[in-house]
Amino acid sequence: MIPCDARREGRLYVAARCSGDTLVIVSEAPGRTIAAGTARVLHGIRVNAPDGEPAPTERQDAGVVDFVRRSVHYPSTIVVGKSEYPGETLWCGPDLFSRSTAEGSWQQIPLGRVPPGAMPFGGPLWLLGALCSAPKDVAIVSEDQVRGVSTTHISVTLDTRETERCSPWRLGFPSRREPTDAFPAEVWLDDNGRVRRMGCDWIDASRGRLGQALHTIVAKASGRRTSWVTTEFWDFGVDVVLPKSNRSAARTCA
């Protein structure tokens, strides 16, 4: 699915500016993905990862997501001192819980300076909400296979204020002394316009526009991001049974 003209060199499409139709395709992708109801999910954060490279999936187990309930459940590793234990992670909307065993009680994980009710940056559904905005800039990168499915890899620049306005859930942004007007993201869409993979990082704006410019120059020159947050979705419509956190029944995920 290449929705606009792009000059092809081998498998790689030279970054090509696209028509307004492509902007619409990207901004409609969250709705099409959420409409699937559920999916399997893989989510992770890597420091200084190459652009678009997923989190180290070879050492992570897949989880499940219920888009309607904004809930994600996946296996994780609990580290206590020098010891590691199998555990679980559960996102109930913007709230994060963890437990060391299936029989253990859920412990809520503090998320720092995140406004009440806001989905924190780095959470598995954060970027899905942010993609609702029509990108300020868009470029087709390539046609890629994501878990055996043909996708179009699209690079976008998203307007921060616009994402806050249109997201289906409230978004929490990383702390910064100066506002960041826009941020880069990558998205891989299948032929049905659903998100198969998405990733982004956040420009450190603490040094103002000069810091943003330096970040962009270094990222483009080295092909690396600062903290690359990547999420993959597949097996849309899979049966999902979410565990309950130890909150009142009215506020549980399930």
Side-chain angles (χ1 to χ4, degrees):
M1 181 188 69
I2 299 293
C4 65
D5 293 334
R7 180 165 53 90
R8 187 170 184 172
E9 296 181 358
R11 287 191 69 251
L12 181 67
Y13 281 80
V14 176
R17 303 307 168 196
C18 303
S19 68
D21 289 343
T22 306
L23 303 181
V24 172
I25 288 172
V26 173
S27 62
E28 289 182 348
R32 294 177 182 273
T33 306
I34 293 170
T38 63
R40 299 196 190 278
V41 62
L42 193 65
H43 173 71
I45 300 174
R46 296 184 78 179
V47 176
N48 293 328
D51 285 3
E53 183 178 338
T57 57
E58 66 278 2
R59 62 181 180 84
Q60 292 188 20
D61 294 322
V64 290
V65 55
D66 185 319
F67 294 112
V68 176
R69 291 177 173 148
R70 299 180 300 153
S71 301
V72 182
H73 177 232
Y74 51 86
S76 58
T77 300
I78 308 298
V79 179
V80 180
K82 295 183 178 181
S83 301
E84 296 184 354
Y85 304 93
E88 300 175 83
T89 295
L90 177 65
W91 287 88
C92 293
D95 298 325
L96 175 61
F97 297 86
S98 178
R99 64 180 176 182
S100 58
T101 67
E103 292 76 26
S105 61
W106 291 101
Q107 301 296 319
Q108 186 163 4
I109 308 300
L111 296 174
R113 299 179 180 178
V114 180
M119 197 75 72
F121 177 80
L125 297 181
W126 188 90
L127 182 56
L128 188 64
L131 285 170
C132 65
S133 66
K136 296 178 65 175
D137 196 13
V138 60
I140 288 177
V141 180
S142 61
E143 287 183 316
D144 295 336
Q145 293 284 315
V146 175
R147 297 185 179 272
V149 174
S150 297
T151 67
T152 301
H153 175 188
I154 304 173
S155 178
V156 299
T157 301
L158 298 173
D159 183 282
T160 303
R161 290 186 177 86
E162 181 63 16
T163 62
E164 290 181 285
R165 184 193 66 78
C166 72
S167 174
W169 40 75
R170 188 180 182 188
L171 299 177
F173 293 87
S175 299
R176 55 197 189 275
R177 291 198 297 268
E178 297 184 31
T180 298
D181 296 332
F183 60 96
E186 309 286 324
V187 60
W188 287 254
L189 304 182
D190 64 19
D191 289 340
N192 293 314
R194 297 176 301 199
V195 176
R196 290 285 178 161
R197 178 188 294 157
M198 59 184 185
C200 69
D201 74 344
W202 189 261
I203 297 173
D204 180 4
S206 61
R207 291 172 291 177
R209 295 189 180 276
L210 176 59
Q212 295 181 42
L214 289 173
H215 174 97
T216 303
I217 291 171
V218 171
K220 288 183 177 180
S222 64
R224 302 177 77 80
R225 300 286 199 195
T226 52
S227 296
W228 187 260
V229 182
T230 302
T231 307
E232 293 184 350
F233 302 118
W234 71 101
D235 283 356
F236 291 105
V238 67
D239 290 338
V240 169
V241 178
L242 294 168
K244 291 186 177 181
S245 64
N246 51 332
R247 295 184 293 175
S248 66
R251 298 188 64 197
T252 54
C253 290

